[in-house]
Amino acid sequence: MNRPLRQPVVKFSAMSIFVLFWFGTCSVVGQTATSHRLLPEGETIQDARTGAQRSLDSYFPFSPPDTAERWRRRAELVRQQIRVSLGLWPSPTKTPMNPVIHGKLDRGDYTIEKVYFESLPGFYVTGNLYRPANIVGKIPGVLCPHGHYQNGRFRDAPDAELDQHLASGAEKFRSNARSPLQARCAHLARMGCTVFHYDMLGYADSQQITHQVAHRFREQRPEMNGPAGWGLFSPRAESHLQSVMGLQTWNSIRALDFLESLPEVDPSRLAVTGSSGGGTQTFIVCAIDPRPAVAFPAVMVSTAMQGGCTCENACNLRVETGNVEFAALFAPKPLGLTAADDWTKEMKTKGFPELQQLYGLIGNSEDVHLTARTEFGHNYNQVSREAMYRWFNRHLALNGPTEEQPIEFLPREELTVWSDDHLPPSGGEDLEKQLLSYWAGNTQRQLGAQSVPFQMEREGLLHLLGLAADYDAGWATRAASLDSDVEAAVGGDDAFFKSRIVDGQLNHVFHSLCVNDADEPSSNCVLWLHRDGKRHLLDEQGNPVDYVRLLRAQGYSVLGIDMFMQGEFLQSIDQPVLNRQVPNGRDAAAYTYGYNRPIFASRVRDVVNLVVHLDNVKTIVALDDTAPVAIVAAAILGDRIERLAVNTGGFRFEELELFDPNFFPGGSRYGDIPRYLAMAAPRHTWICGETSTGEVLEAYRGVDAKEKLVIVDTTLDDAGMIQAVAQWLED
């Protein structure tokens, strides 16, 4: 249970206290006081977050909830996590696509055309459009992302591979085995569908961003990480949640726009199917776009490997979720799957039964189907394609043939969209920088035009921090999951309340120390964050430092906390702290942050948990490099915090390296520090370290609270800041 915080009665002279503080708090190695500790000297906090990092090869089970309403809430949270992680919250503005369709090829019972259009200004989607030769009325439209086939849409398998597929029974016709992609699209057209087969970034005709960058990225490019422009996978791009996967998903959404716009396509009968990386695009776009009516992601959905390519990963995407749950977001609409002798080989017993359970709960268990042909390796072979044709025949109200017939293979020269009359657009690093700059600017314009100020910023931050469900529940869930053990060490006029707080849901632990008087309860507590954790409240002799005594004299209790990887998490205060990188061999942040929360997010959660757990923390102070934690936590906590005092030191998330302890994927997308400070309005806010605060001032003026904002001289030293904050609190 919580022990009440106490109100101090001793008073001190402000000037003498601040002079003493900066001498009294300088620690000497080997002479650190232990009265702040809850654990014996040498022991460190045992916390789930210090365990093994998750990776794309971890185990990702899916556990359906027991009621339809619980699934509805969970599904919307996961769906929004996908949007946020892919940089699609808000989504880019849908600008004119300016589609060009040309070069029709007559294949007898179907036709093929060349297509290109702009998904973003100056950024093109390329592909081929397959149509039935004879179209009567409205017909289904099928989107076909292709996956990591060599040369993508221009795939032409070597003879040795063809012989193997024909011998094993994976394929029946040599022409179809040369390109399972052409075979798939041609047969769907023969069944009566319009099919758009489009390029992944860096494949076939989509060369504005190279294959090397999009799919083989390995080393950071320092020249592609500057304030005037940056490229994919750079720290700035990750800070803005800009990724290849986000761009490809946006291309898929715009491809649905294009398909839906065709006069013969029935918008109520849209479908998506792809294998491997194309399977990833299938279940992702079907999770976040409501238009597809049928989905068939092949050889991708599993509880095992989640997607090995850089184009299948994004920061925050699979934290506390995974591909089976992503596929489940399509329920109760018809979902077909295949499994092979690859990472999907256990789907029959791990993943698919849970999908059936979910479909039975909210729809029809027969509307999810698995074709498990584990005698074949990773594939979208004829056996699997024909399973898809049967699925589409049933659920798209078709009556077409489901057994494939031979096609006439077409080489690259006949399928390419570019020609002397249709020249390819410019690309390379300049285009990459321009594209990401446009994307970031478009996001900021949309955020600035919200009818409810900061609504999207707050929602985005909640998902990046993993607090959206608790916030929606009014923090009741979070408060109920926390428990604490409290012990007191009373000496003289001082009472030190040391608390071990445990998050029962996640097995996270943080320690706090409250310094106050033992006589009367206090209704107002100052949470003072510090890079050394809670130990900064006491000097080397174990007595409260002078600024703590000063605040106590002003009527406050003072609270310190060991946030994640501070204080008793560490063997010593000199231990270096960085985010741990998941070994992968590629210098892409998503392989780490796509599966694990960064230190910064964990620290914000610790602060939020502490404030929610207690009812008397009204003020947060952070005058060192913990200020960003305080600012983001206060932005999330809203009116639970009445006063905020911070020294930002000009900090910006986008200027950090990928594994800095304060690195926060998405930290700049929603405006960075200035906008998070503006979200504090109309809270009483004291700011040091900012040379430009126009956005903050504007926010406070907008709610007629300018008098609650104090911006001080950025040349104040540490003692001056503490004295100024103490005076501000007293006023």
Side-chain angles (χ1 to χ4, degrees), residues 167-340:
S168 69
E171 298 284 351
K172 296 179 183 177
F173 308 108
R174 197 171 191 85
S175 59
N176 298 31
R178 287 181 71 179
S179 176
L181 301 166
Q182 289 186 42
R184 182 205 328 171
C185 297
H187 191 82
L188 285 168
R190 286 169 167 166
M191 291 176 65
C193 301
T194 288
V195 182
F196 183 49
H197 183 207
Y198 62 112
D199 296 324
M200 296 169 68
L201 302 187
Y203 279 88
D205 287 322
S206 178
Q207 295 298 320
Q208 290 180 285
I209 294 173
T210 67
H211 186 274
Q212 185 65 32
V213 169
H215 307 280
R216 294 290 181 264
F217 182 86
R218 287 195 173 275
E219 294 182 354
Q220 285 295 317
R221 301 169 288 172
E223 72 280 6
M224 296 291 283
N225 187 44
W230 58 88
L232 291 159
F233 305 106
S234 68
R236 289 177 187 269
E238 303 296 357
S239 186
H240 285 274
L241 296 177
Q242 296 172 329
S243 64
V244 170
M245 189 173 186
L247 282 175
Q248 287 199 158
T249 303
W250 181 244
N251 281 356
S252 297
I253 291 170
R254 298 313 314 263
L256 282 173
D257 293 343
F258 167 72
L259 196 58
E260 188 179 40
S261 74
L262 299 174
E264 77 275 13
V265 170
D266 180 353
S268 70
R269 289 192 290 166
L270 297 178
V272 187
T273 182
S275 64
S276 192
T280 298
Q281 274 301 296
T282 298
F283 63 70
I284 287 293
V285 75
C286 287
I288 64 176
D289 193 306
R291 290 174 292 180
V294 185
F296 201 98
V299 288
M300 191 64 232
V301 177
S302 80
T303 59
M305 198 277 294
Q306 299 293 286
C309 184
T310 45
C311 79
E312 297 174 274
N313 287 276
C315 289
N316 201 60
L317 181 62
R318 294 182 178 89
V319 177
E320 298 170 15
T321 184
N323 288 351
V324 177
E325 186 166 42
F326 290 165
L329 297 175
F330 197 62
K333 292 185 285 187
L335 173 68
L337 308 163
T338 66

Side-chain angles (χ1 to χ4, degrees), residues 79-206:
R79 189 173 287 115
Q80 189 69 339
Q81 179 171 323
I82 295 173
R83 295 188 190 107
V84 170
S85 302
L86 298 184
L88 301 179
W89 180 257
S91 289
T93 302
K94 287 190 174 183
T95 51
M97 292 189 294
N98 304 315
V100 175
I101 304 174
H102 69 98
K104 180 180 286 190
L105 302 171
D106 188 346
R107 314 309 297 163
D109 49 0
Y110 65 94
T111 63
I112 305 175
E113 294 165 285
K114 294 87 178 281
V115 175
Y116 60 92
F117 59 81
E118 294 176 84
S119 64
L120 293 167
F123 187 60
Y124 288 84
V125 175
T126 50
N128 292 126
L129 188 64
Y130 293 70
R131 284 167 154 154
N134 298 306
I135 298 174
V136 179
K138 293 286 190 178
I139 63 175
V142 180
L143 194 61
C144 284
H146 59 68
H148 295 95
Y149 289 87
Q150 186 176 15
N151 298 321
R153 187 164 48 89
F154 300 151
R155 170 69 171 164
D156 188 357
D159 286 341
E161 185 177 313
L162 300 182
D163 294 339
Q164 179 184 355
H165 289 326
L166 292 168
S168 69
E171 298 284 351
K172 296 179 183 177
F173 308 108
R174 197 171 191 85
S175 59
N176 298 31
R178 287 181 71 179
S179 176
L181 301 166
Q182 289 186 42
R184 182 205 328 171
C185 297
H187 191 82
L188 285 168
R190 286 169 167 166
M191 291 176 65
C193 301
T194 288
V195 182
F196 183 49
H197 183 207
Y198 62 112
D199 296 324
M200 296 169 68
L201 302 187
Y203 279 88
D205 287 322
S206 178

Side-chain angles (χ1 to χ4, degrees), residues 612-674:
V612 167
H613 190 49
L614 304 174
D615 60 1
N616 56 352
V617 178
K618 305 299 183 184
T619 302
I620 301 179
V621 177
L623 304 181
D624 58 12
D625 52 15
T626 61
V629 174
I631 292 166
V632 173
I636 294 301
L637 286 164
D639 58 10
R640 283 177 176 266
I641 297 299
E642 297 174 359
R643 289 176 176 265
L644 174 68
V646 290
N647 170 33
T648 71
F651 174 94
R652 296 294 183 269
F653 288 109
E654 69 176 4
E655 296 175 356
L656 300 179
E657 294 302 315
L658 291 176
F659 297 98
D660 186 281
N662 269 335
F663 186 74
F664 182 37
S668 298
R669 177 169 177 80
Y670 298 108
D672 219 306
I673 290 300

